[in-house]
């Protein structure tokens, strides 16, 4: 079952998240994509020729472009929610906050001031729409599992290393890669991390032996990968790093990768956006750092997202 923000630990740490999203939808203005004044934006997206599905995503009735005098935070530029102002309030749609990139002329035409950023948002909207309509296309895909685990474990281990200098002790670093790979599979993808397939991926990425991997997994419990809080606590315990805490992880994650990436620690849709945003090259987040750490796996993951989108939309 697809995970919503309400199913994450981080969403509940700040009570204003829900009210901000609700207010944005209620007070925002939906962009009418069917009027002639929108055609220039459609043309610009088509001209970039990134993926044939993106124009379909742009014009889809399931995607709502919205502007508001008070934009949402970077974490919620693309999100799924009930269309509470629409004819079917319980119907789920994907919203894109275009407040900072789409304006109107005196003649009533729409102008996009940053078409590359819009394209990045459309890729995120595409993966979000697929995730909530047919998540199996994503979470059962071999490339999404393996390259995603590689990206996440590299990004997460980099943060732990930044905080605790674990690269000076290779054994601890490999254990961190192993555990964060399983966390990606268990929490972010929502799959069973206690399968031989999951552990095989984690071993391959970390370089640990079957015996070493089994010694680590024997220390886990049923809650180890349920959310980011429990995972960080279990990780600190297994790696014997007492100063490692959720607060320090979150703070450094946002510092290193960008403030809009925080929910990528628990949500597949946000993690996917973090990777594809870097791939598109529009500097929504700290692109150079993400590129450097994830390397080839970032490219493989992003190309697979676009391929799945082309076949799904």
């Amino acid at each position: 079952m697809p995970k919503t923000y309400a199913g994450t630990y981080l969403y509940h740490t700040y009570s204003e998240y829900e009210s901000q999203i609700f207010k944005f939808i209620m007070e925002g203005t939906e962009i009418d994509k069917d009027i002639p004044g929108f055609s220039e934006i459609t043309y610009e997206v088509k001209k970039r020729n990134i993926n044939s599905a993106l124009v379909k995503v742009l014009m889809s009735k399931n995607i709502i472009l919205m502007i508001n005098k008070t934009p949402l935070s970077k974490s919620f530029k693309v999100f799924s929610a009930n269309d509470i102002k629409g004819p079917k309030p319980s119907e789920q749609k994907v919203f894109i906050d275009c407040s900072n990139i789409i304006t109107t002329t005196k003649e009533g035409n729409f102008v996009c001031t940053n078409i590359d950023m819009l394209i990045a948002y459309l890729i995120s909207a595409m993966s979000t729409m697929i995730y909530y309509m047919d998540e199996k296309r994503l979470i059962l895909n071999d490339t999404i599992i393996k390259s995603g685990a590689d990206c996440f474990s590299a990004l997460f281990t980099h943060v732990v290393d930044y905080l605790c200098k674990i690269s000076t002790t290779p054994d601890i670093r490999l254990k961190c890669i192993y555990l964060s790979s399983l966390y990606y599979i268990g929490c972010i993808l929502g799959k069973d991390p206690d399968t031989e397939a999951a552990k095989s991926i984690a071993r391959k990425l970390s370089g640990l032996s079957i015996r070493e991997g089994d010694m680590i997994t024997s220390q886990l419990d049923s809650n180890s990968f349920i959310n980011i809080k429990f995972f960080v606590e279990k990780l600190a315990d297994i790696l014997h790093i007492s100063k490692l805490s959720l607060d320090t992880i979150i703070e450094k994650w946002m510092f290193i990768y960008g403030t809009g990436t925080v929910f990528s620690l628990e949500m597949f849709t946000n993690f996917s956006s973090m990777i594809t945003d870097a791939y598109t090259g529009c500097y929504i987040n700290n692109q150079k750092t993400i590129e450097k750490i994830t390397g080839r796996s970032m490219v493989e993951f992003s190309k697979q997202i676009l391929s799945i989108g082309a076949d799904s939309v």
Side-chain angles (χ1 to χ4, degrees), residues 111-140:
V111 177
C112 182
T113 58
N114 192 328
I115 197 68
D116 293 327
M117 190 171 289
L118 176 60
I119 286 172
Y121 289 162
L122 289 174
I123 295 173
S124 296
M126 179 176 68
S127 59
T128 300
M129 182 168 64
I130 296 168
Y131 180 74
Y132 286 106
M133 293 180 69
D134 188 7
E135 63 169 330
K136 291 180 180 179
R137 285 180 175 267
L138 296 166
I139 68 168
L140 296 183

Side-chain angles (χ1 to χ4, degrees), residues 94-105:
V94 177
F95 293 81
I96 302 178
D97 178 7
C98 298
S99 305
N100 294 328
I101 60 172
I102 291 183
T103 60
T104 54
T105 66

